[in-house]
Amino acid sequence: MAGTFHITTMRILYKLSHWYFTKKALPYWCILLIDCGVVFMSYLFIYQQLNSGALLLSNFYQICMTTLMYTLFYGMAFKCFHTYSGILRYSSFIDLQRIAYAVALGGTTSYAIHLLVGHTYPLYFISGQYILLASLLSGGMLWALRILMKILYEVSVKSINSKYTYIYGTDSSAIALAKHFRNESPQKFDIKGFITENRDAKHHELMGEKIYILDETLPERMKDNGIEAFVVTNGKLASFRNNQEMQNAIIKAGIKIYVQRNEEEWKDGGIDKPALKHIEIEDLLPRDEIQIDMDAVGTLLRGKSIMITGSAGSIGSEIVRQVAKFKPEMMLLIDQAETPQHDIRLFMQKNYPHIKAETIVTTICNKGRMETLFETYKPDYVFHAAAYKHVPMMEDNPCEAIQNNVEGTRNIADLSVKYGVKKFVMISTDKAVNPTNVMGCSKRICEIYVQSLDKAIKDGKTEGVTQFVTTRFGNVLGSNGSVIPLFKEQIRNGGPVTVTHPDIFRYFMLIPEACKLVLEAGTMGHGGEIFVFDMGAPVKIVDLAKRMIKLSGAENIEIKYTGLRDGEKLYEEVLNDQEINKPTQNDKIKIATVREYDFAEVCNNIERLIANSYKYDDMETVANMKEIVPEYKSNHSVYEILDKK
């Protein structure tokens, strides 16, 4: 019976605490009444302790009236120091200070009144001794109340599913993150320690938790201590990214790795967006932090009219997001993909309503439509990201590759010259270097056209002011058609993970990083340059697949080799054998010195190529492409036969 009563009582208390702690906060007047009630009861308790209970009962009314009057003085002091403004469960040292000051003021005021009035009724029953002791007791009880509520909150609200967690970092961001976790409801991460490389911090504590040294024994000690989560702060992400041995050890120990969202990402997500995200393979690929002179970019774009083609694509949409930050006067966004283009429209309306943004659904191959847009909006700068890019698709559809990539680029370039665009920035690819496929060759032809057009303008052979700049980089992480989303889906489905060849490797870069480099290259370019980006160390695709499988925690996932796809090569290049690099002010950006072409000859060759593409004779079209780009040698393709002639 007693056991049942105990269980019932505990359930009721749990429900009450859960009800209270799931509320936002008590109203301020409620906290003020509670604090005054504590003072009132403290006075009665002291009186009872210093006198007999009979004396208290016989003079109860008079004592209560006197105590109530004194309590009003404390209430005014609480009002003065705003002791009720804080939330009890989040009480801090500052809150305790305020209480101490308020109780001291209330006690001093009460004692002063006691001295002034003397022993006249109704103060006869309360002496200065009572006031001092009651003030001390009241202050202690009010402190204890807040500390108790804080402890009860942590115990009551902490989820049974909360993970024992170490935070990698000891700076202000790590402290802020730890405070966020402790105030979170329900609590998902239970902080058990902090990690640092600083050996001088050994045996020290932070926020009441131990500081551990990052070394080779840490993953095993974490496992022994029941640690389930390893949180990497923003300030430590670069260091952790380049420590693959530590990454592998933590993953092997079965510990989940999380990274702190950057300030911008967290802010954009609103207050309901989690402070953390589960680490992705993109966060673990070793690379140096890229520094961009965004002030120079802002100076160039602010208040200008900007056209972005391919605005719905992975690169184009990121350029939209980054350009919008610099407050251009107008943005003309071009893409033929209706649904993602609609998403871009909604993004601009929500985040940049002050910018005039026109989202146009059309193809760059429609020269008449494009000319109308140029004539109407007169863009100052053009970022040309529109292109067909999937290698196997273009290998099967070379004529469409020419019409979209080459003819479309020619349309936009020619109209840029005609309508006085200041600068034209074209997004190219490392697949344009020593191309082995239709897509790469089509982009190389685009490079040749805009370069020769720029030279013709500078030589006075073509009238115009437009400066043409080309940017060339490799694969971007998470882009449409990227291998990483494919691997993620295959892992979710239980495998197998398909890799084309055990020796294939690629260069990777984050989309935002690549687009920032595009913007800076566009800023520093004077026309005619092909900017190539330092993509860091190449990544073996099979190693990438293995790490993604480990990171997912999945078991028994098979890796299956499917053979090279049509037009695919084992490795990509950013320069061919005849090209050399020249440095720029940014060590991540180089200028490729390439062969120069006569614009008139290029125009004739491209005109013939485009005309042949409309005959839809794939072999003849590809043969034309090889005439324009002699280094184009097909690989693992039906067009290899053309290289033997």
Side-chain angles (χ1 to χ4, degrees):
M1 187 70 179
T4 305
F5 176 77
H6 176 71
I7 293 172
T8 304
T9 304
M10 291 302 294
R11 285 177 177 173
I12 292 172
L13 289 174
Y14 173 79
K15 288 181 179 179
L16 285 172
S17 64
H18 183 74
W19 170 83
Y20 169 69
F21 289 124
T22 52
K23 300 295 180 183
K24 290 184 178 180
L26 290 174
Y28 78 92
W29 58 265
C30 189
I31 296 175
L32 183 60
L33 284 179
I34 291 172
D35 290 347
C36 290
V38 169
V39 173
F40 185 85
M41 295 305 297
S42 295
Y43 268 87
L44 294 183
F45 178 79
I46 292 296
Y47 190 92
Q48 191 270 334
Q49 290 296 308
L50 298 181
N51 300 280
S52 66
L55 185 59
L56 173 63
L57 292 174
S58 62
N59 298 285
F60 188 74
Y61 177 78
Q62 293 89 340
I63 293 171
C64 284
M65 290 294 101
T66 302
T67 301
L68 182 61
M69 186 184 69
Y70 285 139
T71 301
L72 291 175
F73 298 144
Y74 287 88
M76 288 186 287
F78 293 149
K79 186 80 173 173
C80 180
F81 287 98
H82 297 280
T83 60
Y84 50 82
S85 60
I87 301 174
L88 296 182
R89 72 195 74 158
Y90 301 146
S91 296
S92 63
F93 178 72
I94 299 299
D95 296 308
L96 300 184
Q97 267 188 325
R98 289 176 179 172
I99 289 171
Y101 295 150
V103 170
L105 177 61
T108 302
T109 305
S110 299
Y111 188 68
I113 295 297
H114 170 76
L115 293 177
L116 289 172
V117 178
H119 296 289
T120 60
Y121 181 85
L123 307 181
Y124 178 80
F125 301 99
I126 305 292
S127 68
Q129 181 187 13
Y130 295 137
I131 295 173
L132 175 62
L133 294 175
S135 295
L136 293 174
L137 179 61
S138 298
M141 291 294 292
L142 293 173
W143 277 19
L145 175 64
R146 281 156 173 78
I147 294 170
L148 178 63
M149 296 303 291
K150 193 175 181 70
I151 294 172
L152 286 176
Y153 171 71
E154 292 177 358
V155 173
S156 174
V157 177
K158 185 179 295 182
S159 170
I160 59 172
N161 297 319
S162 63
K163 298 179 177 67
Y164 282 11
T165 302
Y166 281 173
I167 293 180
Y168 182 22
T170 55
D171 59 1
S172 57
S173 69
I175 295 172
L177 195 60
K179 288 180 177 178
H180 172 77
F181 290 153
R182 289 182 173 179
N183 293 333
E184 202 174 26
S185 177
Q187 191 171 336
K188 300 182 183 71
F189 299 91
D190 188 4
I191 308 302
K192 294 298 181 182
F194 294 85
I195 309 298
T196 183
E197 299 94 342
N198 183 11
R199 295 193 172 275
D200 294 337
K202 194 174 182 180
H203 306 306
H204 288 213
E205 289 188 356
L206 182 63
M207 297 180 66
E209 303 295 344
K210 287 184 178 180
I211 297 177
Y212 299 91
I213 306 303
L214 182 68
D215 56 27
E216 63 278 359
T217 67
L218 180 64
E220 196 60 36
R221 283 191 285 119
M222 289 169 62
K223 188 177 180 180
D224 294 340
N225 292 338
I227 301 302
E228 303 168 272
F230 186 84
V231 176
V232 185
T233 61
N234 285 330
K236 292 296 183 181
L237 183 56
S239 172
F240 186 72
R241 182 187 292 135
N242 294 306
N243 192 344
Q244 293 200 21
E245 187 177 342
M246 180 61 62
Q247 297 169 21
N248 294 334
I250 293 174
I251 294 170
K252 186 178 179 181
I255 298 167
K256 296 290 185 181
I257 304 173
Y258 297 86
V259 293
Q260 185 181 8
R261 295 185 185 274
N262 58 53
E263 185 179 352
E264 184 177 323
E265 187 180 10
W266 198 358
K267 195 177 291 181
D268 290 344
I271 59 173
D272 295 328
K273 191 152 187 175
L276 298 183
K277 62 178 180 180
H278 193 275
I279 201 162
E280 302 284 354
I281 190 66
E282 296 94 321
D283 302 308
L284 294 181
L285 293 178
R287 62 185 187 277
D288 296 327
E289 186 177 358
I290 294 176
Q291 302 294 334
I292 306 295
D293 185 3
M294 300 309 283
D295 290 336
V297 177
T299 301
L300 186 76
L301 302 180
R302 194 169 292 110
K304 300 297 193 299
S305 176
I306 313 295
M307 173 186 284
I308 301 171
T309 69
S311 57
S314 46
I315 297 295
S317 61
E318 180 62 26
I319 292 176
V320 170
R321 284 187 280 270
Q322 294 194 17
V323 167
K325 295 177 182 177
F326 299 109
K327 301 179 181 178
E329 182 180 346
M330 194 279 299
M331 295 178 66
L332 182 61
L333 311 178
I334 312 293
D335 207 292
Q336 61 182 331
E338 179 201 13
T339 299
Q341 184 76 329
H342 179 64
D343 293 338
I344 290 295
R345 168 181 282 195
L346 294 178
F347 169 81
M348 292 299 299
Q349 289 174 348
K350 178 183 176 183
N351 297 281
Y352 300 97
H354 57 283
I355 298 177
K356 183 182 179 183
E358 298 290 339
T359 46
I360 309 297
V361 179
T362 188
T363 172
I364 57 174
C365 299
N366 188 340
K367 189 173 182 178
R369 174 63 169 146
M370 295 309 303
E371 179 152 19
T372 300
L373 294 173
F374 269 87
E375 186 178 17
T376 302
Y377 297 101
K378 296 181 174 55
D380 298 300
Y381 297 92
V382 172
F383 292 91
H384 179 47
Y388 286 153
K389 68 171 189 175
H390 295 292
V391 170
M393 289 292 291
M394 294 305 98
E395 210 66 12
D396 293 338
N397 300 276
C399 297
E400 281 74 12
I402 295 304
Q403 292 164 22
N404 188 79
N405 293 2
V406 178
E407 185 180 16
T409 297
R410 186 183 68 171
N411 289 343
I412 303 300
D414 290 351
L415 290 169
S416 293
V417 174
K418 182 176 180 179
Y419 289 95
V421 169
K422 294 182 177 69
K423 189 168 292 185
F424 177 107
V425 182
M426 190 186 84
I427 313 300
S428 188
T429 170
D430 56 0
K431 293 174 178 63
V433 181
N434 295 323
T436 61
N437 52 66
V438 168
M439 194 282 285
C441 185
S442 72
K443 295 298 287 186
R444 177 61 188 139
I445 294 171
C446 294
E447 292 181 356
I448 292 171
Y449 185 79
V450 299
Q451 266 198 302
S452 61
L453 177 54
D454 186 270
K455 187 175 184 299
I457 293 172
K458 286 183 169 61
D459 293 344
K461 297 179 180 179
T462 298
E463 186 177 347
V465 297
T466 308
Q467 297 175 338
F468 288 88
V469 173
T470 299
T471 59
R472 186 192 285 172
F473 53 89
N475 298 277
V476 288
L477 295 167
S479 65
N480 298 328
S482 168
V483 69
I484 289 178
L486 174 63
F487 285 175
K488 286 180 179 178
E489 183 180 357
Q490 290 175 336
I491 292 170
R492 280 196 302 269
N493 295 333
V497 174
T498 56
V499 179
T500 58
H501 194 281
D503 296 324
I504 194 169
F505 65 84
R506 291 290 183 264
Y507 294 93
F508 288 100
M509 180 177 286
L510 290 178
I511 293 176
E513 293 175 342
C515 292
K516 285 179 180 178
L517 289 173
V518 168
L519 295 180
E520 183 167 25
T523 302
M524 67 174 65
H526 299 291
E529 304 97 338
I530 293 182
F531 291 100
V532 297
F533 298 162
D534 181 357
M535 302 290 293
V539 177
K540 203 169 184 178
I541 299 301
V542 66
D543 292 341
L544 178 69
K546 289 176 180 177
R547 297 203 71 200
M548 289 184 67
I549 293 170
K550 285 183 180 179
L551 197 62
S552 72
E555 297 180 357
N556 302 319
I557 299 290
E558 177 191 2
I559 293 178
K560 182 180 179 182
Y561 297 106
T562 58
L564 291 174
R565 300 176 299 173
D566 291 350
E568 190 173 36
K569 55 183 177 180
L570 289 177
Y571 60 92
E572 304 288 3
E573 310 154 275
V574 292
L575 294 171
N576 67 30
D577 296 337
Q578 284 73 48
E579 295 176 353
I580 58 173
N581 276 337
K582 293 192 296 185
T584 69
Q585 60 198 42
N586 189 324
D587 60 3
K588 291 291 181 180
I589 303 176
K590 303 290 190 296
I591 300 174
T593 55
V594 298
R595 171 188 168 188
E596 293 184 343
Y597 293 79
D598 178 71
F599 182 59
E601 182 182 350
V602 169
C603 286
N604 290 332
N605 290 336
I606 288 179
E607 182 62 39
R608 181 162 59 93
L609 174 65
I610 293 172
N612 283 336
S613 76
Y614 283 97
K615 298 176 183 178
Y616 294 98
D617 186 327
D618 292 348
M619 280 294 177
E620 184 178 356
T621 298
V622 174
N624 285 166
M625 295 173 72
K626 291 177 180 291
E627 291 174 5
I628 299 172
V629 185
E631 65 268 26
Y632 168 29
K633 305 297 180 185
S634 298
N635 185 43
H636 201 265
S637 170
V638 296
Y639 307 116
E640 288 179 83
I641 190 172
L642 296 172
D643 299 321
K644 299 175 182 179
K645 294 181 178 180

